[in-house]
Amino acid sequence: MRAKDIRELSDQELDSKESELRESIFRFRLRRGTNQLESSAALRSAKRDLARVKTVKNQREKTRGDQA
């Protein structure tokens, strides 16, 4: 998912996306531990997407804090 697409999401959608990505990372880790993970790139991609979501959330919180 691109950063541009993430920025277009609402706050509620960001929260749900974050929890969805956390769950998928957890499942990827379990599969990796049991040698059932087909592609390690999927885990890497999920981690990067989670980082992007968290970055956008932090940027929004910071701008709200500056305005108040």
Side-chain angles (χ1 to χ4, degrees), residues 30-43:
L30 284 178
R31 284 204 223 143
R32 184 180 61 187
T34 58
N35 292 326
Q36 295 176 352
L37 185 62
E38 295 175 8
S39 171
S40 61
L43 175 60

Side-chain angles (χ1 to χ4, degrees), residues 1-6 9 17 21 45 49 52-53:
M1 188 170 225
R2 302 181 72 170
K4 179 182 176 183
D5 299 332
I6 293 172
L9 298 175
K17 189 70 173 172
L21 287 168
S45 175
D49 287 343
R52 287 184 187 109
V53 167

